[in-house]
Amino acid sequence: MYCRVRAGQGVILVVVLWILVTLTVLVLGLSMGTRRSNTAHQVDADRICARWLARAGIAYAISVLKDDDRSLDGRNDLWYDNPSIFRQAKLSTGTFTVYSESPSFDESLRYGPGDEASRLNLLWATPEQVARLPEMTSPDAQLLLNWLETTPPGNERRMNQLGELSTLRQLGTLANYSAEFLYGEDLNLNGLLDASENDGDQLLPNDDQDGKLDYGLLHWLTIYSYDLEIDGKGKSRLNINEIDYGQLTGELGFLPENAHWIIHHRPFEAITDLISENPTALDAEVISLSENSGTGNLDQEIVIFPPSIEVFRQVADRITVSSESKVYGRININTAPREVLIAALDLDKALVDNLINYREALPLGFSETGEIFDVPGITVPDIKKIIPRVTVRSYVFRIRSYGQARNSHQNHQIETVVDRGRGEEIPKVLYWKETD
C-alpha cells in the first residue's frame, strides 16, 4: 500500500520541507552562534578572572612581606621559598602562583617574592664587580664596562641615565646591547627553560639547545635595592664619626681607651677601620686628653688602643660612618647567590663557598654582620672588604604572580617591585607590568 501525491500537493510538500529545512538550519545556526557567543563570553570572563587571580597573588605576597619580622631576612623566612602557600594556591575561580627565578645556576624555581638585595645594584656597582659576574666576556660586556668606567658609582650621569629607567629591562635603550647579553636564554625572565628557549635558532632567543637555562646579565642586577642605617632592633645606628665620648662608652659600651682611640683617629671611611690589621697587637698610643675634645684632665696622658675584634663584633650592627639614613650598594649576605657574592665581595671562590656553607648551617642565617668572623678561613683583611658591602636585611622585593582560571585555563602574569622600607603601612609599588 502506498500513498499517491498529487502534483499540487507535491509542490506544497516541497515548499513545506524547504521551509522546515531552512528553519532547522537557522535554529542550528542560532544555537551554534549562541554557543560560540557563550564560549567567547566565557573566555573573556576567564581572562578577567585570571587577571584578578594574579592580582590576588600579588596582594597575598605583599601581606606576607608586610607581616614579616624585619630584624633579619634570609632563606628561612616565610616569603623566601614556600610552595605550600605560593604554588598553585586555590581560590574558587582558579589558582595563583607567586614565583621567583632561580637564584643560582644549580637551584630550581623558588615560590615566593624575590629579594632585590640579593642582586648587584648597577647604580652603585664598580666595573670590577660587574666584570666578575658570569658571561662577561662579550663585546657588549666590554661596552658596558667602559661605560661604568666613565661613570663611577653614584656619579650624576650614571644616576640620571639609569634613574630614567623604570626597570632594567630597558637597559638596552642606553646602548645597543644584544638580547642574548641582557637575557641570555631566559627571554621572558621567568627563570624557566621554556620550549622557545631550548629549540636552537628556530624561535627567539637563539639558544644552544642543551636543556639548561643560561642566564643573561639582567638576572644578576637591580636598580632598586638599598639598606637602612638601623640595627636589628629597629633603632638608628650611631655614627662613630659624630657621637661623643659619653655615647661611645655609655650607649655602645666601648672601653675608655677604645673611645679615646676612636675620637683621636676619626673620621673613618668604614666601620671596619676600627679593626686592627693585626688583631694580636694593641697598637697602643700615648696621647694627651687635650687632643680629645677636652675630656678629662687636660694635663693627663693616657694610653689608647683600637677595639678588640670581640668588642667590634658586639657593636658592628649598631654603628655607622654615614650621616644618611639610607645607603646603597649593599647586598643581603643571607640571600645573595654564589655568583653575586663572588662579584660583590672580591673573595676567593673557596672562601665564598665557606661563607655559603656556614650561613646555610645557621638556623636563620646571619643575624648580624659581626657573625662573619666565625666563617672558616676568614681573615681581618677579608672582613674589611665584606662588612661595608653587606647587610642582613632587605626592603625591596620583586613579585611575579601567575593567575590561571579554572574553566578555560586562561592565564595572566603580573610582575611588580615593592618597597616596604618607607615607613608606610602598605609597601609602595615601584614597578608594575602585566601580560596575558
Side-chain angles (χ1 to χ4, degrees):
M1 179 177 180
Y2 63 91
C3 180
R4 184 184 305 176
V5 179
R6 296 179 181 177
Q9 293 175 323
V11 171
I12 294 173
L13 181 60
V14 169
V15 171
V16 170
L17 288 175
W18 176 251
I19 292 173
L20 288 174
V21 169
T22 302
L23 288 174
T24 301
V25 170
L26 288 174
V27 170
L28 288 174
L30 180 61
S31 175
M32 293 177 63
T34 301
R35 284 199 295 270
R36 282 197 299 268
S37 177
N38 289 339
T39 301
H41 284 307
Q42 184 65 55
V43 169
D44 288 341
D46 283 354
R47 185 177 293 115
I48 295 172
C49 179
R51 180 183 183 190
W52 284 101
L53 286 164
R55 289 193 169 205
I58 297 292
Y60 184 65
I62 288 176
S63 71
V64 171
L65 291 171
K66 174 180 173 292
D67 295 337
D68 177 54
D69 178 6
R70 304 185 190 183
S71 60
L72 70 103
D73 293 292
R75 297 180 171 221
N76 292 317
D77 281 359
L78 187 65
W79 58 264
Y80 182 79
D81 186 13
N82 199 331
S84 64
I85 62 174
F86 287 125
R87 183 178 184 179
Q88 294 184 335
K90 292 182 180 179
L91 297 176
S92 61
T93 55
T95 64
F96 69 76
T97 296
V98 175
Y99 67 94
S100 181
E101 75 276 16
S102 307
S104 193
F105 285 117
D106 57 352
E107 299 185 33
S108 59
L109 195 67
R110 291 190 300 105
Y111 295 95
D115 179 13
E116 290 297 285
S118 69
R119 302 166 180 254
L120 200 61
N121 193 319
L122 193 59
L123 288 167
W124 299 90
T126 66
E128 292 76 18
Q129 288 175 320
V130 176
R132 287 190 288 267
L133 290 171
E135 305 298 329
M136 287 297 293
T137 57
S138 67
D140 281 349
Q142 190 56 56
L143 181 64
L144 175 62
L145 295 175
N146 291 342
W147 181 76
L148 293 174
E149 287 281 0
T150 61
T151 58
N155 176 272
E156 183 176 356
R157 178 166 166 251
R158 188 193 294 196
M159 301 296 284
N160 287 341
Q161 288 188 307
L162 292 180
E164 293 176 354
L165 308 180
S166 60
T167 170
L168 268 179
R169 292 173 186 260
Q170 300 169 344
L171 184 62
T173 63
L174 299 182
N176 192 26
Y177 300 124
S178 68
E180 288 78 11
F181 174 61
L182 295 177
Y183 296 93
E185 295 175 353
D186 194 18
L187 191 60
N188 55 8
L189 286 177
N190 70 350
L192 296 173
L193 184 63
D194 299 316
S196 63
E197 297 166 353
N198 192 42
D199 63 356
D201 58 0
Q202 295 182 38
L203 297 172
L204 290 177
N206 296 329
D207 58 77
D208 53 17
Q209 207 171 358
D210 65 349
K212 175 183 175 183
L213 185 64
D214 295 330
Y215 296 117
L217 178 71
L218 299 186
H219 181 76
W220 313 109
L221 298 176
T222 182
I223 54 174
Y224 300 110
S225 65
Y226 64 87
D227 192 26
L228 294 179
E229 288 289 31
I230 58 176
D231 62 23
K233 296 180 179 180
K235 296 182 178 180
S236 296
R237 291 183 172 128
L238 299 175
N239 188 337
I240 56 173
N241 287 329
E242 298 177 353
I243 60 176
D244 60 25
Y245 174 84
Q247 291 172 295
L248 287 166
T249 55
E251 294 186 51
L252 294 174
F254 282 113
L255 296 173
E257 297 86 352
N258 299 152
H260 284 301
W261 184 90
I262 291 171
I263 293 172
H264 183 67
H265 285 277
R266 63 190 185 187
F268 300 99
E269 294 185 1
I271 63 171
T272 49
D273 291 341
L274 300 186
I275 310 172
S276 172
E277 287 286 349
N278 181 1
T280 62
L282 294 178
D283 295 332
E285 302 173 64
V286 178
I287 67 165
S288 169
L289 284 182
S290 60
E291 303 177 31
N292 268 22
S293 305
T295 55
N297 187 336
L298 296 184
D299 297 327
Q300 182 182 356
E301 288 189 339
I302 60 170
V303 177
I304 63 172
F305 47 83
S308 67
I309 289 178
E310 188 57 41
V311 170
F312 175 81
R313 288 184 55 168
Q314 294 174 5
V315 302
D317 191 45
R318 300 176 58 197
I319 60 176
T320 181
V321 294
S322 173
S323 58
E324 303 293 332
S325 60
K326 184 184 291 187
V327 291
Y328 301 89
R330 294 175 184 166
I331 60 168
N332 188 329
I333 200 169
N334 285 325
T335 59
R338 183 175 186 267
E339 294 79 3
V340 172
L341 290 172
I342 290 172
L345 304 182
D346 187 23
L347 297 175
D348 179 86
K349 293 181 180 180
L351 186 57
V352 170
D353 291 336
N354 288 351
L355 189 152
I356 291 174
N357 292 335
Y358 187 82
R359 81 177 179 191
E360 294 183 355
L362 296 170
L364 300 175
F366 291 101
S367 61
E368 56 185 40
T369 55
E371 293 181 1
I372 295 171
F373 279 97
D374 296 326
V375 174
I378 208 79
T379 66
V380 170
D382 296 328
I383 291 291
K384 284 179 173 286
K385 284 196 294 187
I386 296 173
I387 287 184
R389 303 178 186 180
V390 300
T391 181
V392 296
R393 287 176 278 278
S394 302
Y395 301 97
V396 184
F397 298 85
R398 185 181 305 270
I399 306 172
R400 292 187 172 104
S401 181
Y402 177 89
Q404 186 172 56
R406 182 183 58 195
N407 295 323
S408 64
H409 301 295
Q410 290 292 312
N411 61 76
H412 193 82
Q413 298 181 64
I414 300 176
E415 177 182 340
T416 185
V417 177
V418 298
D419 180 357
R420 67 173 184 181
R422 296 174 177 241
E424 302 170 357
E425 183 178 358
I426 303 299
K428 180 179 178 60
V429 173
L430 305 179
Y431 170 73
W432 187 279
K433 177 180 174 63
E434 300 194 30
T435 55
D436 289 324

